[in-house]
Amino acid sequence: IYVTWSLTFELLFYALVSATLLLPMRQVNRLVYLAALGVFASLVATYSQAHSAVQIFTAMLFEFLAGMLIYMHRQSLGQRWLVPVCALLGGAAFVLGARLHATDGSIRIFTFGLGAVAWVTLAVALEQTRTYVANRVLVALGDASYTLYLSHLLPLAAFYFMGLRDFLAVQSGWVRETGFFLFLAFCLWFSHLLYIVME
């Protein structure tokens, strides 16, 4: 399965996290901050090397470290002012990324990546302030998200191979959009089914 390349990074991440169990928690926290600073410096230094092995590696580490930092500070994210700030920062970062056509490299991390961090922080802040707690449908989608990640290429390939994508592309607006929405709903249902049956 093509998308399983990311498992390499996950296994490395879990190995590093497991190694930290041998250290005092305060030292682990310092190491996370130092690693995040090092990754940020590396992304700045390799800004013009979009496909270099170093940049791809540090970009993946950035995602894991961002998640760890959010988790480490989750208790302090119960401030209501964080909700609009994170929403605006995330939206602005995504708009900037779209305008700059940030499809690769550090520019993608500094726009879409930071936007994603802002919106994940927003989700945690919403829950911590009890402003919004995810309902059963969203929790089920979250549970099946990794299954969706691993399986999405199968229905996508079928969607193209059977000519459904080309058929929908030439239809009128509402037919086309309804068709694409139904296909997306099918992918979500399929991944949820796989999660229930297999995972």
Side-chain angles (χ1 to χ4, degrees):
I1 303 174
Y2 174 74
V3 291
T4 57
W5 64 269
S6 65
L7 290 174
T8 307
F9 292 94
E10 290 184 44
L11 290 172
L12 177 61
F13 173 75
Y14 293 131
L16 290 170
V17 168
S18 298
T20 64
L21 295 175
L22 303 172
L23 300 170
M25 199 60 205
R26 187 173 293 178
Q27 199 168 343
V28 171
N29 290 344
R30 286 196 196 115
L31 284 172
V32 171
Y33 285 112
L34 282 172
L37 187 62
V39 163
F40 183 82
S42 176
L43 288 169
V44 171
T46 60
Y47 187 83
S48 60
Q49 302 164 29
H51 297 286
S52 73
V54 170
Q55 189 176 88
I56 292 169
F57 180 74
T58 51
M60 291 293 165
L61 280 182
F62 174 79
E63 292 183 21
F64 285 119
L65 289 166
M68 289 180 77
L69 287 168
I70 292 171
Y71 177 79
M72 284 165 53
H73 294 282
R74 69 194 182 284
Q75 301 300 338
S76 59
L77 295 178
Q79 315 282 336
R80 290 196 181 275
W81 62 267
L82 279 171
V83 172
V85 169
C86 288
L88 289 171
L89 281 176
F94 276 105
V95 168
L96 182 61
R99 287 188 175 270
L100 295 175
H101 303 288
T103 57
D104 253 324
S106 292
I107 187 65
R108 185 171 187 266
I109 300 299
F110 294 143
T111 54
F112 293 118
L114 290 175
V117 169
W119 280 0
V120 170
T121 305
L122 168 65
V124 175
L126 285 170
E127 192 166 77
Q128 290 288 63
T129 58
R130 309 303 289 174
T131 304
Y132 178 77
V133 178
N135 59 31
R136 285 173 49 194
V137 174
L138 289 177
V139 170
L141 182 59
D143 288 343
S145 61
Y146 192 63
T147 309
L148 175 63
Y149 170 67
L150 290 178
S151 67
H152 78 280
L153 287 180
L154 296 172
L156 264 181
F159 189 60
Y160 277 81
F161 181 74
M162 293 188 306
L164 286 172
R165 194 256 180 217
D166 292 335
F167 170 76
L168 287 172
V170 296
Q171 301 304 311
S172 63
W174 72 271
V175 173
R176 181 181 63 241
E177 298 309 320
T178 302
F180 284 130
F181 177 79
L182 288 173
F183 171 70
L184 176 62
F186 169 78
C187 288
L188 297 177
W189 172 82
F190 181 64
S191 64
H192 180 66
L193 181 67
L194 286 177
Y195 171 75
I196 296 295
V197 173
M198 295 174 67
E199 197 179 336

